[in-house]
């Protein structure tokens, strides 16, 4: 009888331990693009703490914020602070950045010319069509000496705010995830780093003009974002701690050829 009791007790104890071991927390993280080696590393690290980091990939820049606002995601990590501010203003949401990740310079790419100065009269340049990236792209083209925009528009100029276009360039705003594909039909395109890498480009080598990492870059820093009522979540802080490490810096440097710049 005593032996049976010990066997039963041992069995129950084993079941309880197994249940406790499987009592991990799942966190759904939204990212854009297919190259997410830094987050795959983080996923492995936090798994040791019982956190199941589920990486959900998207191909556009709007859906990850909508999914986060509606509770389908717990975090996302793909956007600049200025892009997030624009989304919140347009939708009435209050998504909040909780940690910095990288600065990802915007670039001008071309399959037809090798230098930005080779762009000719009447050439077509495509740019992203969302409010924050459209303005950022136009400011980049201004920095390249191709156009001038109304300074009163700050970080948010639109195509109609171009005040000087000496080459009569045809500047066309299209969806961000179509800019790289447009290169076969246009002289040049302004492409986000993630989209460029997914298309097989190395921004630091292949861009014919790259955004400067100096000056007022704060609006263009990428962030890990959550809902405003989750900013103090301890599990999310563990994920941040696993991301903001020297190991992740090395992965970012290797996978982007030093095109993305860690800013923590």
């Amino acid at each position: 009888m005593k032996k049976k009791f010990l066997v039963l007790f041992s069995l129950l104890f084993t079941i309880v331990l197994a249940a406790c071991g499987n009592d991990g927390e799942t966190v759904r993280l939204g990212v854009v693009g297919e190259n997410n080696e830094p987050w795959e590393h983080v996923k492995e690290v936090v798994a040791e703490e019982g956190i199941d980091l589920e990486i959900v990939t998207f191909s556009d820049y709007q859906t990850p914020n909508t999914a986060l606002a509606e509770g389908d995601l717990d975090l996302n990590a793909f956007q600049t602070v200025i892009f997030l501010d624009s989304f919140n203003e347009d939708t009435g949401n209050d998504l909040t950045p909780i940690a910095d990740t990288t600065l990802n310079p915007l670039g001008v790419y071309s399959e037809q010319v090798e230098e930005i100065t080779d762009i000719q009269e009447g050439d077509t340049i495509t740019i992203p069509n969302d409010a924050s990236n459209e303005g950022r792209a136009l400011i980049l083209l201004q920095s390249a000496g191709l156009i001038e925009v109304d300074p009163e528009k700050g970080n948010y100029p639109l195509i109609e705010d171009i005040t000087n276009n000496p080459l009569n360039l045809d500047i066309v705003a299209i969806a961000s995830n179509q800019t790289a594909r447009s290169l076969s039909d246009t002289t040049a395109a302004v492409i986000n780093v993630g989209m460029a890498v997914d298309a097989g480009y190395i921004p630091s080598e292949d861009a014919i003009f790259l955004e400067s990492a100096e000056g007022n870059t704060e609006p263009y820093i990428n962030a890990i974002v959550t809902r405003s009522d989750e900013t103090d979540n301890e599990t999310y802080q563990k994920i941040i701690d696993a991301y903001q490490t020297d190991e992740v810096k090395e992965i970012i440097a290797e996978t982007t050829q030093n095109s993305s710049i860690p800013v923590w």
Side-chain angles (χ1 to χ4, degrees), residues 190-206:
V190 178
I191 309 174
N192 299 80
V193 162
M195 299 296 184
V197 171
D198 279 352
Y201 295 104
I202 300 173
S204 59
E205 297 180 6
D206 296 329

Side-chain angles (χ1 to χ4, degrees), residues 149-166:
V149 296
D150 186 350
E152 294 186 1
K153 298 300 179 178
N155 292 321
Y156 295 97
L158 301 175
I159 289 176
E160 55 262 36
D161 298 317
I162 296 173
T163 57
N164 188 24
N165 185 0

